Every structure is written in C-alpha cells, then in structure tokens.
Amino acid sequence: MSSQHTNDTSGVPAVGADSAFRREHVLRDEAPQFVLPLVVRIEKAEPPARTDALETAARAVLVLLSDERAHGEGEWAQAVRDWQDARIRKVVRRARGAEWRKAETLPGITVRGDAAQVRVFPPVPLDGWPKELAKLQVSGTDLDDPRPVPAADGPALPVLWLNPALEMSAGKAMAQAGHAAQLAWWELARAERDAWQESGFRLAVRTAARERWAELSGSGLPVVRDAGFTEIAPGSATVVADHPALRARL
C-alpha cells in the first residue's frame, strides 16, 4: 500500500481497493515487517471485562492512526508508514503493577474504556521491541464478561462483528478488533473519519449471531482475514467492520 493513502484529505474513500487487508496485495509480505504493540492492563484483583478490553483496543488503534504524530513529518509518521506498507501486524501483551508503570513511561498513548486500559505504541520492527515490552507475556491473555453484554445500540453505531465459529483468546481478539477498526478507518472519507474521531471513536465489538455471519461476511463490508501466525488457520475470516458510512455504500 502506498503511504499516500494514510494521509488522504479528499472526500473519497481514503484507501478503498488499495487496503492492505485485501488478499491480492502480496508485495506487502516482501517489505520489512513491523508490528504495532498494544499492552492491556490486567491487574489480578480487578481485570477488565473482555468486551470492554476489545473495544478499548480497537479505539486505541484508531487514536494512534489519527494522532498528529503519525502523519506528515510527525515523530511517529515514518514508523507508521513502514508498518502500513508491510503486513499489518498487531501484538497484544499484558502488564500489571510495576510492568504497567514502566510501559507507561515509553512513548505511546493510553486509551481508557469503562474499566479497561490499553496503551498503544508506535510501530517497531518485528524483532526490535523495547526491552520493557519484549518481556511482557503474550500467550494466555484471556478475560471474561462477568455480566451479559447488551445489544449494539442502534444503526448509527459502528460494530465490529466477531466470527461466532472461532475461539480466540482475549489478546488475539483484541488484535483482530484493532485490524477491523483500522480497515474501516482506511476506507472512510476524510469527513467520515473526522466525524468518527469527534465521537471519541464510539464503537461496539460483538459476536455475530451464527445465522447472520454468512450475510455479514459476504455483504461487501470490510472483512479481516487472519494470516494464521497464531491460534487460528490462515485465511480465516475473523471480524467484519460494519461502519454505517460503509454500510450506506452497499
């Protein structure tokens, strides 16, 4: 994907058919690989709810993409361009106590949900993680929803629909939700992006009903397909990004 799409200011979709999530874009695999680090705060006594963490991770990705430091001559801009020109990788690690406090000293942005806290950092080379983050755990990041999750609130709300046939750890699902939010962001026009940002990147993450998944994934809305590095098979459709502005174009 050309870096010019990242900073598109026109009234047309910013990326459209050039989205790096489209499977025909194989050249991204030949570029140097970068990863977007996300760290979720999970204290033993008060872990966040799973859905809250997923939604906060998705918003964290959008907050970074819209940050002025990620554009033009900003201090994170080149790293973001390099990352987006390759395969879009995200890795979620967990931290608590002193680990979290150390993570917060590194350049990045902490995004808060109802109770969840997720810190997103500018992209780093795949094998070049800061030592404070490299030692944090990845596998086994799992969370539960202690109470029933309410239905998504109305047709104006962007919803990231999880595939009901897949079982993913919370960390894996957080990364996939982040992919879906990014895919939607790329395909929005500038005014649509601005409106979403002004709302505080309001969104919901929900598991689709089994009888709706085929309709959603075949609707023409953006679909995230996993590379298969962890947990699930390569090419698995994991999330559909159902943004009202994109739905209106179908």
Side-chain angles (χ1 to χ4, degrees), residues 58-81:
R59 290 194 298 112
V61 172
L62 295 167
V63 167
L64 180 130
L65 290 172
S66 61
D67 192 282
E68 63 182 10
R69 289 168 288 185
H71 297 278
E73 300 302 318
E75 61 189 285
W76 300 343
Q78 187 59 55
V80 170
R81 284 192 290 268

Side-chain angles (χ1 to χ4, degrees), residues 16-200:
D18 287 336
S19 168
F21 280 104
R22 303 303 173 96
R23 298 180 70 186
E24 64 266 28
H25 280 248
V26 295
L27 290 179
R28 69 184 187 276
D29 294 319
E30 300 173 9
Q33 297 296 302
F34 286 73
V35 62
L36 186 76
L38 296 112
V39 175
V40 56
R41 183 177 187 180
I42 303 181
E43 300 290 347
K44 281 186 175 180
E46 295 181 291
R50 179 184 175 98
T51 296
D52 186 17
L54 267 60
E55 292 174 348
T56 305
R59 290 194 298 112
V61 172
L62 295 167
V63 167
L64 180 130
L65 290 172
S66 61
D67 192 282
E68 63 182 10
R69 289 168 288 185
H71 297 278
E73 300 302 318
E75 61 189 285
W76 300 343
Q78 187 59 55
V80 170
R81 284 192 290 268
D82 290 342
W83 169 61
Q84 293 192 123
D85 282 344
R87 184 175 287 278
I88 307 303
R89 298 190 183 196
K90 300 177 181 69
V91 172
V92 178
R93 297 177 184 259
R94 64 183 187 274
R96 66 173 183 263
E99 296 172 333
W100 175 258
R101 291 190 291 275
K102 287 181 181 178
E104 284 206 302
T105 66
L106 300 178
I109 307 168
T110 297
V111 177
R112 291 171 170 79
D114 292 336
Q117 296 182 51
V118 175
R119 189 163 180 85
V120 60
F121 302 86
V124 297
L126 193 59
D127 58 355
W129 283 69
K131 64 181 186 300
E132 295 88 348
L133 303 182
K135 63 183 180 181
L136 299 177
Q137 293 295 313
V138 180
S139 62
T141 301
D142 218 344
L143 299 165
D144 296 312
D145 283 310
R147 291 179 292 277
V149 178
D153 184 20
L157 179 68
V159 182
L160 309 178
W161 295 105
L162 301 172
N163 185 339
L166 297 177
E167 292 188 7
M168 295 183 282
S169 68
K172 178 72 171 180
M174 288 169 69
Q176 298 299 302
H179 291 336
Q182 183 171 3
L183 202 163
W185 174 259
W186 278 347
E187 302 227 359
L188 293 174
R190 179 59 182 268
E192 294 162 343
R193 288 180 173 187
D194 290 345
W196 201 7
Q197 184 175 7
E198 288 168 8
S199 78

